[in-house]
Amino acid sequence: MKELDKRLIQVVPSERQFRYQQLEFYAFIHFTVNTFTGREWGEGTEDPAIFNPEKLDARQWAKALKSAGMRGLILTCKHHDGFCLWPSRYTSHSVASSPYRGGKGDVVKEVSDACREEGLKFGVYLSPWDRNSPLYGQGKPYDDYFCNQLTELLTGYGDVFTVWFDGACGEGPNGKKQVYDWERYYQVIRTLQPDACINVCGPDIRWCGNEAGDTRPSEWSVVPARMRNTEKVASLSQQSDDAAFRQRKITASDRDLGSREALAGEQNLIWYPAEVNTSIRPGWFYHSEEDGKVRSLETLLDIYYRSVGGNGTFLLNIPPNRDGLFQENDVKRLQELGDYLREAFRVNLLDEAELSADPGEDGCGIQNVRKDDYEGYYKTPDGADHCVIEAAWKEPQEIRHIVLKENIRLSQRVEKFTAEVCLDGKWQTVCEGTVIGYKKIIPLKGVRGDKVRITISDARVAPTISFFGVY
Ligand code: FUL
């Protein structure tokens, strides 16, 4: 076991993965000809003349996303229908053939500019599956076409924080399937935007395995390298237009990706953190008949706690309507969510608490956990794989959230912990958990107490805590 632990903590995030994780919460924007046909997957035969979002205002999107506390946006620059939201030099199946801004429009430019103005990161979704391109299914000629499009997107619109590759691989217009040259696509991205993560069918960020917002109770970031299996992802996500698949719950067999038991026999391990992607509405694209089906504040909060607060990131889709605007129900919900989160995490009660830890420091004292950064952190001496951290107040406090973060620069180490709250000498367990990782949020229904105790009872080599918050 000890030898295994030593091997596990060697696996740490790359700089780009480390930065990505800290974005926590960001948006997906699904927008294309489907918005105008009412479909989820286009055929590739749509007339560009139907694309005319006359009131498109990317700043309205960016402002609404910021109001929710999001830090980035990923735009479907080309979905499976092959229609390009920018005037690509390599196809006429794009905004250039549409009436939008008299054929002079460029949605990718408008959106990336709005992101920069509002301080959001900008990312691209480019579907490898293209139901319009006559080159699709021909091998290298299509890969050339795809790399040319990638190059346009990665050189024309400033910094890109991610390229999001969905694995869907169906037939093209000539009935043929394409074998994607992933390594070549990755090379283009690494060369042109070395700081960008490549998600899902890529080496940096892992798809959590469903599109419903479901999460694993223990979501590990150190997993077997064979998780990076694009074929598996491809066959899974190909079914994603099927409602049953979207609602699919993670089954028992998918549950454990990274416990010691799951990793013991694995030679090749990687840092591959989970991203939870789901839509604020039933569909990825806008359908007016779903205006009444915007997910509730309660549901979104629950997904937020389980994703951002469950060692993952949260990619929430908000589809613009045919005018090119977010519908008012979505705007309202985003604002409510942001207001709730800002208020919930406004005052860290730990600022007023006395803080102690046993065992004491290893040059990395407990007082470091008061600041939410990675400069300082708490760590036990190597080999001390457990610890107790206690916060105490002079007066009882009303506690609604406990937040814990590991110093993931030193890998993910905590295997088991409990959180307890004490009132008048009586201890009450409020959480028994496994993974902390990047961040663990424990939502409470308002528990009164004058002490909070975190007991880490099992960890790989020696646990670290980089931040502790009580709200
Ligand atoms: C899936 C696609 O097929 C859906 O249309 C959507 O883009 C989703 C995010 O990925 O695999």
Side-chain angles (χ1 to χ4, degrees), residues 98 140 142 161 233 281 292 324 352 374:
S98 81
K140 187 169 177 299
Y142 178 76
F161 81 100
V233 177
R281 289 162 172 251
E352 304 298 323
Y374 292 87

Side-chain angles (χ1 to χ4, degrees), residues 11-24 26 161 190 194-199 202-206 221-223 228 270-274 313 374 408-409 438:
V11 186
V12 297
S14 65
E15 259 320 293
R16 61 171 86 86
Q17 288 172 316
F18 179 64
R19 269 195 305 268
Y20 194 96
Q21 188 108 37
Q22 292 176 73
L23 293 177
E24 298 189 350
Y26 41 92
F161 81 100
R190 293 294 195 234
D195 293 338
C197 277
I198 312 174
N199 295 28
D204 301 315
I205 308 291
R206 166 167 65 83
S221 297
V222 177
V223 299
R228 215 158 40 192
I270 50 170
W271 186 269
Y272 201 28
T313 54
Y374 292 87
I408 56 167
R409 281 186 181 276
Y438 168 70

